[in-house]
Amino acid sequence: MKNLSKFPAEPITTKPSFHFRMYALALVMMVMGAWAYMRMKPPPPKVCNSPGGPTVTSPRVRLRDGRYLAFKEKGVPKEKAKFKVIVVHGFDSSKDIYLPLSQELMEEFGIYIVTFDRAGYGESDPNPKRSVKSEAFVIEELADKLQLGPKFYVVGVSLGNYAAWACLKYIPHRLGGVALVVPVINYWWPSFPAKLVEGAYMKQLGRDQWKLRIAHHAPGLMHWWMTQKWFPSCTIMERNPIIFNQRDFRILADISKIPMPNEHKIRQQGEQESLYRDLIVGFGNWEFDPMELKDPFTHNNGSVHLWQGYEDTLVPFELQRYISQKLPWIRYHEVRDGGHLIIHDASICEAIFRSLLLGEKPLII
């Protein structure tokens, strides 16, 4: 018999068990999931007057839901005003929006203007529950808090126009008139013909197409998309000159000479509840189709105007023309050499207010 002790023992190899491998895989997936979640989860907003948050320097009103809304007044005192106008600023803007209306003009016609920081912008509290519908009642409540009376006018600018459309839908009885200035289009409004809206959508830069798709279909990924560094995400936030036309550049040159001491406050509470929430609401599923609205001024006691720049690269004029055809009670004004910044042009800004408040026919188009 062989002496087995002379032979070295074979090494014993053990393979990880099936359960151990599954456990390790699950652990890796959990770590990756946690990393992805942290990348997608936006940081909490830095609410004004909260510990560590920005301080408030502007007058504010408290809304029924407890939030505070910051506002700014100009023109004649509201007690003496013939026309009381609420201006709704656009994307990445604030109550300090530049409106080149002279004090002399506002005094001549008795114009009072109030602008306000929309939710999450400037010094107004964020509203994670913000919707197109809720914006109309915020405007109505602001008017009541400031005692503007039973009727007031609304001027919407760019993306801020989803609030103006909401006013036409939900509080038409409070309106003396509405001006929709370069209103941003929601490409998912059901009344648009598919071919028309697809052609307009494809004119947008690829980065902006993806931004809009995510805002509409996957809003939970909005923070991740806007903060990732692999691909360009938003032409406007990049201040890409491709979005401006020649008239816009002249307007920007004029604006650069105007002191803007509060510009740094626009995003001071964080970009999620200001910029990103704005995109999610504006390009999400609306509670109504604007092209099914009825004329709120059938007794000739007011008017609705839509102002569009023919050379606006952000908002396609073809879709605005279609809206004006579907809603013939809207008075459509197309500025031939206008871009997206037409309200900041002194002559056009004055024409917008004159046509809305005085019923004058614009002569500059």
Side-chain angles (χ1 to χ4, degrees), residues 286-307:
W286 287 28
E287 299 91 340
F288 63 95
D289 182 350
M291 282 176 278
E292 293 181 353
L293 292 175
K294 304 300 181 183
D295 183 359
F297 304 115
T298 54
H299 300 293
N300 223 16
N301 55 340
S303 58
V304 181
H305 301 256
L306 197 161
W307 289 79

Side-chain angles (χ1 to χ4, degrees), residues 193-207:
K195 188 175 181 180
L196 175 67
V197 77
E198 181 181 359
Y201 183 79
M202 295 307 294
K203 289 183 179 180
Q204 301 293 305
L205 292 178
R207 68 195 70 174

Side-chain angles (χ1 to χ4, degrees), residues 161-169 180 189 286 288 290 293 323 330:
N161 272 292
Y162 67 74
W165 283 114
C167 288
L168 287 168
K169 170 65 176 180
L180 307 158
W189 288 348
W286 287 28
F288 63 95
L293 292 175
I323 292 171
I330 290 182

Side-chain angles (χ1 to χ4, degrees), residues 35-36 82 99 107 116 127 137 160 221 233 241 273 348 365:
W35 176 84
K82 182 178 180 181
L99 297 172
E107 289 178 355
F116 67 99
N127 180 15
F137 297 109
L221 297 177
S233 58
E273 291 302 330
I348 298 178
I365 300 177

